[in-house]
Amino acid sequence: MIDTVTEPRAQPFAVQVKTLMDLEARYQPKLSGLRLIETSQDNGLRMTTRLRELEVKDLLSLTRFFGFSSDTFSLAISLLDRFLSVMKIQPKHLSCVGLCCFYIAVKSSEEEKNVPLANDLIRISQNRFTVSDMMRMEKIIMEKLYWKVKAPTALRFLHLLHSHIQEQLSSESQKIISLERLEAQLKACHCSFVFSKLKPSLLAMALLCYEAKEQHDPEDGDKVEEILESLQKQLNIRDGDLVCVRELVGKCLAEYATSKCSRPNSRRLRWIISGRTARHLKHSYYKITHLPTIPESAY
């Protein structure tokens, strides 16, 4: 049976925070496993940080393509990192593992009517494994993670903490810390392996502090800082840890701002696919631009 974490929205804020913090350690990736990935040489035989980051960016592209929520993406990355931290997999199996983690997250977070067929996912992601391969891998992942799916992700902490901050600010001051901007920044952080080793609560708090500093408002700055200091105490986060992670966040976002790589945002991705692939997709995907099928006798 899949273990899910129910949303404690009806409870007081302090209770909600404590509930997520109590669950946090149970859903953390195994640090020893992540360190093995971090120290592995990129020789095509072992999992590396580079391969993991490339896979996460592929999953981000799929999230945009289908228009799925940030919750789905964050949960998929949580599942992926947890599995990679307990299982030694070969690089050739990574795409199957990644897509299965994504599919589990989709089925857990999205409305049933929006869940694509497994075969469509394979076709659109241009993988060569079969639906049977995917189903077998999904079972392995679920068993290794003890059927614990709905992890307290950094995004869940971010939503909870952001909502608490907004409740204590005026309508004008609420514009200082944008949730949409925070979600985009979190997606960028998910694409970097270094953040996999951090507690979700610490990453969420670091993002809030970074955003508050970047969007500093002289009139309400003191109020926001006071709220953040109170939250830091509730989350039992040390000053040194928060400063260190906030700097990591700044470095990560600076790299995204200056690089040519695809930056996380809310734009829906449009892919060009062949007519043959499109004919096998659900009707809801038919707005995609088609390419004519290349005749097999072209040679």
Side-chain angles (χ1 to χ4, degrees), residues 273-275 290-294:
I273 60 176
S274 71
H290 300 344
L291 283 178
T293 304
I294 300 174

Side-chain angles (χ1 to χ4, degrees), residues 60 64 184 187-188 255-266:
L60 179 57
R64 292 177 184 166
K187 288 174 182 176
E255 289 175 356
Y256 264 86
T258 57
S259 68
K260 296 180 180 179
C261 64
S262 179
R263 300 169 195 166
N265 55 42
S266 58

Side-chain angles (χ1 to χ4, degrees), residues 24-192:
E24 191 173 34
R26 288 169 46 193
Y27 289 84
Q28 271 292 96
K30 191 177 178 182
L31 282 177
S32 59
L34 294 179
R35 290 192 186 104
L36 284 175
I37 295 174
E38 198 171 30
T39 56
S40 293
Q41 294 184 344
D42 199 350
N43 56 13
L45 301 175
R46 299 284 297 276
M47 264 300 302
T48 64
T49 58
R50 184 184 68 84
L51 292 174
R52 179 266 180 199
E53 290 174 353
L54 289 174
E55 182 60 28
V56 170
K57 289 173 183 176
D58 284 346
L59 298 185
L60 179 57
S61 293
L62 281 176
T63 302
R64 292 177 184 166
F65 176 78
F66 286 102
F68 290 147
S69 66
S70 297
D71 295 272
T72 296
F73 176 66
S74 288
L75 181 56
I77 305 314
S78 171
L79 292 167
L80 177 63
D81 286 336
R82 287 165 58 201
F83 184 73
L84 293 179
S85 72
V86 296
M87 289 293 292
K88 292 181 180 180
I89 70 166
Q90 297 180 36
K92 63 182 180 181
H93 296 142
L94 179 59
S95 58
C96 186
V97 170
L99 196 64
C100 285
C101 289
F102 182 75
Y103 199 35
I104 293 169
V106 169
K107 290 187 287 186
S108 178
S109 302
E110 301 292 333
E111 292 185 30
E112 187 175 353
K113 65 180 181 180
N114 295 328
V115 177
L117 299 174
N119 197 42
D120 289 350
L121 275 181
I122 294 171
R123 285 177 177 274
I124 290 173
S125 58
Q126 299 178 2
N127 284 299
R128 295 182 179 180
F129 48 80
T130 66
V131 173
S132 296
D133 294 332
M134 194 170 163
M135 296 301 103
R136 284 197 299 272
M137 182 62 76
E138 183 177 337
K139 184 174 183 293
I140 292 171
I141 293 171
M142 294 300 293
E143 288 176 348
K144 292 299 179 182
L145 299 184
Y146 301 103
W147 300 84
K148 298 182 188 300
V149 173
K150 274 284 192 177
T153 61
L155 183 66
R156 293 184 66 194
F157 274 103
L158 200 58
H159 283 174
L160 179 60
L161 300 180
H162 179 267
S163 175
H164 179 69
I165 293 172
Q166 298 296 80
E167 288 173 359
Q168 301 179 64
L169 298 176
S170 65
S171 56
E172 277 299 313
S173 301
Q174 287 178 355
K175 300 175 183 177
I176 297 174
I177 303 180
S178 163
L179 183 59
E180 182 180 1
R181 200 160 48 235
L182 285 166
E183 287 189 2
Q185 292 168 349
L186 178 59
K187 288 174 182 176
C189 291
H190 278 320
C191 293
S192 178

